[in-house]
């Protein structure tokens, strides 16, 4: 698990630039390479990736386990849908509003849930999210209850799949980069201190509860934006978006991808969506297969796919080291053998 | 008791009970600036509880804690750190998955109230200050190591470095040499004395090792069953018969 943290700080800038350039090229070329249905699958991946990365600001970077993050995702989606259906407001404005609405709601729910710690905090987040789910589910006059809201009309330029893809790509990538900047800031460092040792964090002068609340609001706000993007993708919303079964998704994909790696949850999200679509084509037991995969990862690589990747990289580097004994940059890289068994 | 005459830390009638147990039972304490004060006493005398009360980890049931004349009784730990009281722990309390460098860097940023910054990369902030502290405690070489992976002795030094980063006026050390070999003990106390002298830090520490106590402290406060049994210079304490009875006699012979 240590290697995951170290690999972030020791990646060479050059390899990072090359990696970003390749990723950007692939992202640009995707609409040419994929069919429309496949492209929409990628849109779904991007939405879940943003949600998971937002969620992981709490799980992986602050050490707070929330079991109710679907509430903010769902509120984001409903904000876009309701503003459109009730007031005829453009979903573009709705997306901005979804950030504002989730920020305000999460301020109050966070204040309430953070009265407790650890498991009790997790249970409070679950309870609060189920209250919000029930409100959306039962309030027919306003939310449409279990009918949901259908047929959201997007602005004309988003009617084609490639344009929708580029829009979601830009919004989600910009949001993820903002979260990445936060993670690397002094504030992000304070969150790491809290994750590692709450008591000590207080004794270096960090007001732990206040920082946890701000992290909770940031995480929920970006989850709300992810939910808003979902409304763009599906053009409909339903109460299940707020339900606890939905809350499991960001937890699951963060664990699959690796919660101590920044983009691990995003990779986990892509794999999750892919397997879901792929497996349901061949079997009705896709959930079973996903569960087995998660179990295997949890047992063999508790650091998720990120750990697997850093192990592979360390092995490659070690091989390179044998060939080039004098190469100093390779020698400076951490090796996976430092990892505790 | 009325004396506010230049005391840095003034504790008045401090009490803490856990259920029926009087852990700290009306303690008065006055520490002057620049002093090195040891608190000694048998196990269960209430030393650690007293530390927890002063540093804000526990709230007292009664009594007052004044620091530089300001009432800090029952304030939360982070507020007390900002007031100028640093604390190192008996059981090493560090950030295992942060590097040694990051641990001290974050302590510096927190004390300087620079952690509410959201978009500036932290990697290049307070690098010189961090390096200086790490070198002062002899951890310059281990800067890039994960804090959880260095030796026990080095972790104790890191514990001290994190506390020093808060630039404290008063540094509270809870058994700074616990679990150390005699050689490490000597080296650590030497270092603490030197840093305290150089930076004008007042020391308040509890310790079981009598050699450390009599070698470092200017004055000693002896606690017994939650109360102050005696207070004085090292010589006075050495000759105090009551102290010898409850404590030194049984422990040292």
């Amino acid at each position: 698990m240590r290697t995951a943290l170290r690999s972030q700080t020791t990646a060479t800038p050059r390899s990072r630039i090359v990696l970003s350039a390749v990723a950007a090229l692939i992202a640009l070329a995707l609409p040419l390479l994929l069919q429309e249905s496949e492209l929409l699958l990628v849109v779904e991946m991007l939405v879940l990736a943003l949600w998971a990365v937002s969620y992981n600001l709490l799980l992986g970077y602050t050490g707070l386990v929330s079991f109710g993050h679907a509430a903010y995702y769902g509120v984001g989606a409903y904000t876009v849908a309701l503003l459109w259906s009730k007031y005829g407001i453009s979903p573009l404005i709705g997306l901005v509003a979804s950030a504002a609405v989730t920020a305000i709601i999460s301020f109050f729910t966070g204040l309430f849930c953070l009265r407790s710690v650890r498991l009790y905090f997790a249970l409070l987040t679950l309870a609060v999210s189920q209250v919000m789910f029930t409100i959306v589910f039962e309030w027919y006059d306003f939310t449409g209850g279990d009918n949901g809201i259908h047929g959201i009309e997007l602005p004309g330029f988003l009617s084609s799949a490639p344009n929708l893809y580029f829009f979601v790509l830009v919004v989600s990538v910009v949001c993820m980069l903002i979260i990445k900047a936060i993670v690397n800031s002094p504030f992000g460092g304070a969150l790491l201190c809290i994750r590692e040792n709450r008591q000590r964090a207080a004794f270096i002068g960090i007001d732990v509860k206040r920082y946890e609340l701000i992290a909770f609001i940031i995480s929920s706000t970006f989850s709300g934006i992810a939910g808003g993007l979902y409304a763009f993708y599906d053009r409909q919303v339903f109460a299940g978006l707020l339900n606890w079964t939905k809350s499991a998704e960001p937890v699951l994909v963060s664990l699959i991808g690796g919660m101590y790696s920044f983009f691990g949850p995003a990779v986990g999200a892509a794999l999750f969506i892919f397997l879901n679509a792929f497996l349901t084509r061949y079997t009705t037991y896709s959930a079973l297969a996903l569960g087995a995969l998660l179990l295997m990862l949890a047992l063999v690589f508790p650091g998720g796919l990120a750990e697997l990747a850093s192990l592979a990289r360390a092995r490659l580097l070690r091989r390179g080291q044998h060939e080039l004994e004098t190469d100093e940059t390779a020698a400076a890289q951490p090796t996976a053998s430092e990892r505790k068994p | 008791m009325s004396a506010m005459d230049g005391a840095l830390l003034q504790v008045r009638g401090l009490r803490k009970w856990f259920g029926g147990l009087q852990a700290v039972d009306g303690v008065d304490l006055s520490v002057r600036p620049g002093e090195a004060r040891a608190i000694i006493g048998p196990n269960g005398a209430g030393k650690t509880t007293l530390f927890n009360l002063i540093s804000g980890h526990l709230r007292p049931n009664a009594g007052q804690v004044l620091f530089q004349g300001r009432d800090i009784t029952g304030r939360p730990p982070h507020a007390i750190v900002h007031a100028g009281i640093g604390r190192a722990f008996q059981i090493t309390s560090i950030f295992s998955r942060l590097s040694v460098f990051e641990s001290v860097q974050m302590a510096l940023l927190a004390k300087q109230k620079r952690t509410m910054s959201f978009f500036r990369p932290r990697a290049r902030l307070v690098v010189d200050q961090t390096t200086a502290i790490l070198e002062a405690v002899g951890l310059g070489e281990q800067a890039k190591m994960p804090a959880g992976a260095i030796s026990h002795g080095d972790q104790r030094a890191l514990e001290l470095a994190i506390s020093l980063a808060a630039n404290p006026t008063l540094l509270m050390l809870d058994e700074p040499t616990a679990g150390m070999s005699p050689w490490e003990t000597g080296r650590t106390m030497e270092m603490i004395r030197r840093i305290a002298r150089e930076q004008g830090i007042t020391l308040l520490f509890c310790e079981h090792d009598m050699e450390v106590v009599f070698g470092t402290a200017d004055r000693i406060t002896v606690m017994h069953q939650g109360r102050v049994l005696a207070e004085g210079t090292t010589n006075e304490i050495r000759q105090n018969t009551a102290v010898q009875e409850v404590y030194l006699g049984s422990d040292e012979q």
Side-chain angles (χ1 to χ4, degrees):
Chain A
M1 283 197 273
R2 239 174 243 136
T3 47
L5 187 85
R6 300 190 75 198
S7 62
Q8 283 172 22
T9 52
T10 49
T12 59
R14 199 181 54 186
S15 74
R16 193 174 286 178
I17 290 168
V18 171
L19 212 67
S20 311
V22 170
L25 271 178
I26 293 174
L28 283 174
L30 274 185
L32 303 172
L33 301 173
L34 299 179
Q35 293 169 1
E36 191 172 304
S37 65
E38 292 165 338
L39 196 61
L40 287 174
L41 207 62
V42 177
V43 172
E44 210 181 337
M45 287 174 182
L46 287 169
V47 171
L48 183 58
L50 173 59
W51 188 19
V53 167
S54 312
Y55 176 78
N56 198 47
L57 181 69
L58 282 189
L59 179 71
Y61 286 88
T62 319
L64 286 172
V65 183
S66 161
F67 285 149
H69 248 46
Y72 311 101
Y73 181 74
V75 163
Y78 267 87
T79 303
V80 169
L82 284 170
L83 285 178
W84 172 80
S85 70
K86 299 274 172 194
Y87 310 103
I89 292 172
S90 159
L92 288 175
I93 297 168
L95 189 62
V96 177
S98 69
V101 170
T102 41
I104 293 165
I105 290 179
S106 63
F107 169 77
F108 292 105
T109 56
L111 212 55
F112 175 71
C113 295
L114 285 167
R115 294 166 60 89
S116 296
V117 291
R118 292 187 296 273
L119 180 63
Y120 303 97
F121 166 79
L123 290 177
L124 280 183
T125 58
L126 177 62
V128 166
S129 77
Q130 285 309 98
V131 168
M132 287 162 69
F133 163 73
T134 308
I135 292 172
V136 170
F137 191 70
E138 300 287 345
W139 196 1
Y140 273 86
D141 296 341
F142 189 58
T143 64
D146 60 358
N147 293 324
I149 298 165
H150 302 274
I152 299 167
E153 282 170 31
L154 300 179
F157 77 98
L158 290 178
S159 54
S160 80
N163 282 4
L164 180 68
Y165 160 74
F166 281 122
F167 177 75
V168 173
L169 178 73
V170 168
V171 174
S172 60
V173 167
V174 165
C175 286
M176 282 191 260
L177 291 179
I178 292 172
I179 299 170
K180 184 146 177 49
I182 293 173
V183 159
N184 290 328
S185 73
F187 177 82
L191 297 186
L192 290 181
C193 291
I194 292 170
R195 177 191 79 188
E196 290 297 306
N197 191 336
R198 283 180 109 242
Q199 187 195 41
R200 190 52 161 157
F203 277 105
I204 64 171
I206 294 170
D207 186 346
V208 172
K209 290 267 182 212
R210 189 156 157 242
Y211 280 71
E212 285 179 338
L213 178 61
I214 294 170
F216 189 83
I217 294 171
I218 294 172
S219 167
S220 303
T221 302
F222 283 107
S223 297
I225 295 174
L229 285 178
Y230 180 83
F232 277 70
Y233 158 75
D234 207 19
R235 299 185 190 187
Q236 57 177 343
V237 298
F238 42 93
L241 289 176
L242 286 85
N243 205 0
W244 65 276
T245 49
K246 195 74 185 167
S247 287
E249 278 183 22
V251 187
L252 216 63
V253 301
S254 294
L255 293 177
I256 293 174
M259 65 184 202
Y260 294 127
S261 137
F262 184 81
F263 286 113
V267 175
L271 185 70
F272 179 83
I273 298 284
F274 174 77
L275 284 179
N276 232 349
F278 182 75
L279 292 172
T280 45
R281 213 175 283 170
Y282 298 101
T283 166
T284 46
Y285 301 108
S286 61
L288 186 71
L290 270 173
L293 174 77
L294 180 67
L295 196 66
M296 193 193 75
L297 270 173
L299 289 174
V300 185
F301 298 108
L305 295 174
E307 189 184 354
L308 197 67
S310 69
L311 278 176
R313 193 165 72 163
R315 181 156 300 178
L316 278 175
L317 282 168
R318 218 175 308 158
R319 189 174 298 165
Q321 220 171 307
H322 284 304
E323 288 163 10
L324 269 170
E325 282 290 340
T326 51
D327 188 352
E328 279 179 320
T329 53
Q333 294 289 335
T335 60
S337 57
E338 286 165 31
R339 187 173 56 95
K340 272 192 184 165
Chain B
M1 266 342 81
S2 63
M4 269 305 304
D5 41 5
L8 180 69
L9 177 75
Q10 183 102 24
V11 173
R12 290 181 189 154
L14 209 59
R15 282 173 203 279
K16 178 72 187 178
W17 51 82
F18 302 106
L21 176 78
Q22 287 280 355
V24 169
D25 189 9
V27 165
D28 296 310
L29 185 71
S30 177
V31 180
R32 281 191 294 269
E35 195 180 328
R37 171 74 61 94
I39 310 240
I40 64 172
N43 282 326
K47 304 180 300 272
T48 298
T49 306
L50 178 66
F51 265 45
N52 284 335
L53 292 172
I54 295 172
S55 64
H57 190 51
L58 291 172
R59 293 172 72 94
N61 295 103
Q64 260 192 325
V65 181
L66 302 176
F67 183 67
Q68 295 177 319
R70 276 168 43 207
D71 191 348
I72 57 164
T73 319
R75 305 285 324 270
H78 64 87
I80 286 178
V81 171
H82 287 294
I85 300 181
R87 175 164 183 195
F89 287 81
Q90 180 179 357
I91 296 160
T92 306
S93 181
I94 53 173
F95 308 113
S96 297
R97 263 187 307 244
L98 263 58
S99 73
V100 168
F101 183 87
E102 287 172 310
S103 305
V104 174
Q105 181 193 32
M106 283 316 303
L108 279 166
L109 290 171
K111 170 64 184 198
Q112 296 169 11
K113 300 198 172 185
R114 290 168 71 182
T115 40
M116 265 304 167
S117 159
F118 293 87
F119 301 111
R120 206 162 152 206
R122 66 174 178 274
R124 291 191 188 150
L125 300 176
V126 294
V127 170
D128 294 343
Q129 274 172 286
T130 307
T131 310
I133 292 174
L134 287 178
E135 267 159 20
V137 301
L139 285 177
E141 304 267 297
Q142 280 95 325
K144 284 185 178 165
M145 295 279 285
I150 59 178
S151 75
H152 176 75
D154 285 344
Q155 288 186 348
R156 299 296 306 172
L158 177 60
E159 173 78 45
L160 182 68
I162 293 172
S163 310
L164 285 173
N167 190 24
T169 313
L170 173 70
L171 180 59
M172 300 174 64
L173 304 159
D174 196 351
E175 299 203 24
T177 65
M180 283 188 183
S181 68
W183 182 77
E184 281 178 320
T185 299
R187 194 184 63 142
T188 304
M189 289 318 293
E190 173 86 16
M191 184 174 75
I192 290 173
R193 265 194 308 246
R194 175 173 52 78
I195 292 170
R197 206 183 314 119
E198 283 170 7
Q199 304 186 12
I201 298 171
T202 306
L203 289 178
L204 179 64
F205 66 101
C206 39
E207 182 57 67
H208 277 295
D209 186 331
M210 285 305 129
E211 223 169 290
V212 169
V213 170
F214 286 99
T216 307
D218 305 318
R219 288 178 75 79
I220 299 174
T221 299
V222 186
M223 284 185 75
H224 184 52
Q225 295 178 342
R227 294 165 193 246
V228 173
L229 180 75
E231 192 192 307
T233 62
T234 48
N235 274 334
E236 286 164 3
I237 294 301
R238 214 176 253 133
Q239 285 152 16
N240 187 312
T241 47
V243 173
Q244 282 167 8
E245 263 169 45
V246 304
Y247 188 61
L248 295 176
S250 56
D251 245 29
E252 289 291 283
Q253 302 286 296

